[in-house]
Amino acid sequence: MRNTITICFAVGLLIVSSVQTWAHGDPVRSFGAVGNYTTGGEVSEGVGFSIRYDRRAYDLFSDEQLLAFRAQGEDVHQHSSEETISLNFSVGLNKDWDLGFTLPAARFTGFKDNGDDFAIANNTISETDVSQGLGDLVILGRYRFFQKDDHHIAALMGVKLPTGDYRQRTNAGDLVGTHNQPGSGSVDFQLGVAYTGHLQDLLAISADLISRVNTEGAGEFRSGNSILADFAVGYRPHSAFVPFIELNAIFQQRDMEFDEVKKNSGVASLFVSPGFRLTLARVHTLFASYSVPLWQSLPGIQNEEDYRLAFGYGIGF
């Protein structure tokens, strides 16, 4: 029973998405944990598949504000929302190793830029109704190097491969900024540590700390390196219905483009994410969460994030 539910957790949570999917550098992620974003230290068993939908929405500047920013020499872009659908596969290699694969498709809507060629030549704002396409494939390995009773600690090692589309264009025909392309064109690396522990049948606790190093991709753009930290608590984790709450933090450096620092980039933020997980017939999992910001520090001129929404389905064997 316990092993089966553990598999369902891993299936429902196996998401480690493209760095470029999220404009502010915070990828959808988790791999066998309590919450929807936290990566746990308990290794998956068997094989699992899942599909997950994520949406993020932002406050917006007016066109007048964007033009005023450009008059001040500020290159500012924005978009109203981001959506991602991710297909995921996980497999347990042995009692201490598992491996996960995630392939996302990303969609950005309501994109506006005050600094591309069209905007400058016509003294206006460049618009893009939709930028969408296949994202970058992410592979994550997890090695559990410590286990005592219900306490598990694992090392995380991941790589993101440049499989995604980075040729999306604006309404006027210019290339969309690399930060809002579904793919990145870069090979990026992740290294971290994750923990999962159970307090009898009452609570499950998961936590992670992940560093991410990004290389230069399309358009000589390099997303800023980052550190991610998550902490999640679930109530009665071996039950069919498991409510949880988690904290999600990210600290990301500024981006680079053409060897220049993008001063309107980088982020430090903290979100709280309540949600639930429902296990049916021991192998089917439904999950959902809603995230709101507790704190956001955005260097330069950037849009604050309003909320995040995630839900999905998984099945384990």
Side-chain angles (χ1 to χ4, degrees), residues 75 81 83 110 122 125 151 158-159 163 188 211 213 228-229 267 272 310:
D75 182 3
S81 66
E83 297 172 283
N122 295 278
I125 303 300
H151 301 279
V159 61
T163 60
D188 303 332
S211 64
V213 177
L228 314 173
V267 62
V272 60

Side-chain angles (χ1 to χ4, degrees), residues 26-27 29-31 33 37-41 140-142 145 152-158 189-196 206-213 226-232 246-252 269-270:
D26 184 8
R29 62 195 182 279
S30 65
F31 193 2
Y37 298 95
T38 305
T39 300
L140 181 72
R142 177 169 50 183
F145 61 86
H152 308 257
I153 303 177
L156 307 174
M157 295 153 283
F189 303 93
Q190 297 184 41
L191 184 66
V193 62
Y195 165 81
T196 297
S206 287
D208 63 49
L209 183 66
I210 303 171
S211 64
R212 189 176 58 212
V213 177
S226 62
I227 295 177
L228 314 173
D230 305 281
F231 178 82
E246 59 184 324
L247 296 173
N248 315 114
I250 180 171
F251 304 90
Q252 183 180 12
S269 67
L270 178 65

Side-chain angles (χ1 to χ4, degrees), residues 247-263:
L247 296 173
N248 315 114
I250 180 171
F251 304 90
Q252 183 180 12
Q253 297 175 327
R254 287 179 168 89
D255 304 328
M256 297 283 294
E257 191 170 28
F258 300 113
D259 293 326
E260 294 185 359
V261 175
K262 304 288 286 184
K263 62 180 179 179

Side-chain angles (χ1 to χ4, degrees), residues 65-105:
Q65 287 176 301
L66 291 174
L67 290 173
F69 292 147
R70 189 175 70 206
Q72 300 167 11
E74 299 286 355
D75 182 3
V76 178
H77 66 272
Q78 67 179 12
H79 57 280
S80 58
S81 66
E82 307 169 15
E83 297 172 283
T84 301
I85 295 178
S86 299
L87 298 177
N88 316 280
F89 169 76
S90 66
V91 58
L93 303 178
N94 58 39
K95 68 181 183 65
D96 291 319
W97 276 98
D98 59 12
L99 193 62
F101 302 83
T102 294
L103 186 63

Side-chain angles (χ1 to χ4, degrees), residues 10-290:
V11 173
L13 291 169
L14 173 58
I15 308 289
V16 185
S17 189
S18 163
V19 170
Q20 295 299 326
T21 299
W22 304 129
H24 292 299
D26 184 8
V28 180
R29 62 195 182 279
S30 65
F31 193 2
V34 176
N36 274 349
Y37 298 95
T38 305
T39 300
E42 193 168 1
V43 175
S44 304
E45 300 177 21
V47 176
F49 300 89
S50 69
I51 182 170
R52 170 170 169 162
Y53 169 84
D54 283 84
R55 176 182 173 85
R56 296 171 71 169
Y58 298 88
D59 290 333
L60 297 177
F61 300 120
S62 67
D63 288 356
E64 290 76 17
Q65 287 176 301
L66 291 174
L67 290 173
F69 292 147
R70 189 175 70 206
Q72 300 167 11
E74 299 286 355
D75 182 3
V76 178
H77 66 272
Q78 67 179 12
H79 57 280
S80 58
S81 66
E82 307 169 15
E83 297 172 283
T84 301
I85 295 178
S86 299
L87 298 177
N88 316 280
F89 169 76
S90 66
V91 58
L93 303 178
N94 58 39
K95 68 181 183 65
D96 291 319
W97 276 98
D98 59 12
L99 193 62
F101 302 83
T102 294
L103 186 63
R107 175 185 173 93
F108 300 87
T109 57
F111 179 77
K112 293 187 177 183
D113 195 331
N114 73 353
D116 67 11
D117 293 340
F118 176 82
I120 294 174
N122 295 278
N123 192 31
T124 186
I125 303 300
S126 178
E127 298 186 6
T128 308
D129 294 331
V130 175
S131 173
Q132 62 185 359
L134 190 67
D136 293 339
L137 174 68
V138 175
I139 304 172
L140 181 72
R142 177 169 50 183
Y143 170 63
R144 180 175 55 194
F145 61 86
F146 175 86
Q147 179 183 4
K148 183 176 180 180
D149 300 325
D150 286 335
H151 301 279
H152 308 257
I153 303 177
L156 307 174
M157 295 153 283
V159 61
K160 180 183 70 63
L161 302 177
T163 60
D165 178 16
Y166 50 83
R167 304 298 298 176
Q168 292 288 299
R169 295 187 176 272
T170 69
N171 294 352
D174 294 326
L175 282 174
V176 174
T178 313
H179 40 266
N180 284 112
Q181 294 284 353
S184 66
S186 65
V187 179
D188 303 332
F189 303 93
Q190 297 184 41
L191 184 66
V193 62
Y195 165 81
T196 297
H198 296 83
L199 302 179
Q200 298 179 350
D201 290 329
L202 184 62
L203 296 176
I205 299 172
S206 287
D208 63 49
L209 183 66
I210 303 171
S211 64
R212 189 176 58 212
V213 177
N214 304 318
T215 65
E216 185 178 289
E220 297 186 41
F221 181 85
R222 175 174 175 170
S223 182
N225 298 333
S226 62
I227 295 177
L228 314 173
D230 305 281
F231 178 82
V233 177
Y235 177 65
R236 298 186 64 188
H238 303 310
S239 302
F241 179 78
V242 180
F244 61 80
I245 189 166
E246 59 184 324
L247 296 173
N248 315 114
I250 180 171
F251 304 90
Q252 183 180 12
Q253 297 175 327
R254 287 179 168 89
D255 304 328
M256 297 283 294
E257 191 170 28
F258 300 113
D259 293 326
E260 294 185 359
V261 175
K262 304 288 286 184
K263 62 180 179 179
N264 298 319
S265 65
V267 62
S269 67
L270 178 65
F271 278 70
V272 60
S273 306
F276 71 88
R277 179 153 295 96
L278 177 64
T279 302
L280 304 172
R282 298 187 179 183
V283 295
H284 303 279
T285 303
L286 301 174
F287 57 93
S289 69
Y290 185 83

